């Protein structure tokens, strides 16, 4: 099993003949990572602003309803950020050509998919609660 994990190709077309293309892909993956982080920060800022407004300006059921709407919005940002991180991880794995990176990608995709599934379920439940009001 150790041989499989340490298995690495000795270059390949991209690494040997087109090293400049590898650099471009690395830059693109970094840009996607930064975009995902910015997206998450925007979502967090909007969430904090919305919840603060709900806590200060609303009371009773209106406050809870507004907070739940903000949670749904934050969940959308988180899901979008996770999807961008998966794209970046796929690019990194394609560049490295290492089996260990492929296993790491598989684990990340599984963890992020499970997180996305349960977050999506929670958002659907919140949407139903808001619809019932």
């Amino acid at each position: 099993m150790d041989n499989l994990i340490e298995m690495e190709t000795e270059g390949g077309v991209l690494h040997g003949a087109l090293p400049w293309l590898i650099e471009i892909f690395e830059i693109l993956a970094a840009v996607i990572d930064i975009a995902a982080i910015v997206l998450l920060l925007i979502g967090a800022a909007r969430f904090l602003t919305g919840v603060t407004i709900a806590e200060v300006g609303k009371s009773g059921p209106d406050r809870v309803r507004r907070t739940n709407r903000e949670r749904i919005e934050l969940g959308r940002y988180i899901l979008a950020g996770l999807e961008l991180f998966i794209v970046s991880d796929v690019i990194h794995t394609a560049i490295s050509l290492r089996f260990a990176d492929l296993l790491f990608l598989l684990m990340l995709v599984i963890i992020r998919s499970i997180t996305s599934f349960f977050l999506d379920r929670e958002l659907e439940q919140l949407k139903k609660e808001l619809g019932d009001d």
Side-chain angles (χ1 to χ4, degrees):
M1 183 67 172
D2 288 334
N3 287 340
L4 284 177
I5 291 175
E6 292 182 19
M7 183 177 74
E8 184 174 341
T9 60
E10 295 290 329
V13 174
L14 291 179
H15 289 82
L18 303 170
W20 56 270
L21 190 58
I22 295 294
E23 289 184 34
I24 291 173
F25 285 145
E26 287 175 350
I27 291 169
L28 287 174
V31 168
I32 292 170
D33 281 337
I34 292 169
I37 292 168
V38 168
L39 189 65
L40 292 172
L41 290 174
I42 291 170
R46 290 187 62 167
F47 174 76
L48 290 173
T49 302
V51 169
T52 302
I53 291 170
E55 289 294 323
V56 171
K58 309 281 185 189
S59 63
D62 287 337
R63 180 181 55 83
V64 174
R65 194 173 305 117
R66 175 72 187 254
T67 301
N68 283 342
R69 284 192 184 111
E70 295 302 327
R71 288 178 62 200
I72 290 170
E73 194 67 23
L74 176 62
R76 290 180 181 147
Y77 279 95
I78 292 171
L79 289 172
L82 286 174
E83 290 171 3
L84 284 176
F85 279 128
I86 288 173
V87 169
S88 172
D89 291 335
V90 168
I91 293 170
H92 284 295
T93 302
I95 291 170
S96 74
L97 298 175
R98 287 186 292 176
F99 187 73
D101 288 342
L102 183 61
L103 290 177
F104 181 72
L105 174 65
L106 177 65
M107 299 282 267
L108 280 177
V109 169
I110 289 171
I111 291 168
R112 289 178 180 160
S113 296
I114 291 170
T115 302
S116 295
F117 173 77
F118 285 108
L119 182 59
D120 194 42
R121 279 185 47 189
E122 182 178 347
L123 294 177
E124 288 301 319
Q125 181 180 355
L126 284 172
K127 287 178 190 176
K128 287 179 185 177
E129 288 176 11
L130 286 173
D132 292 339
D133 289 334

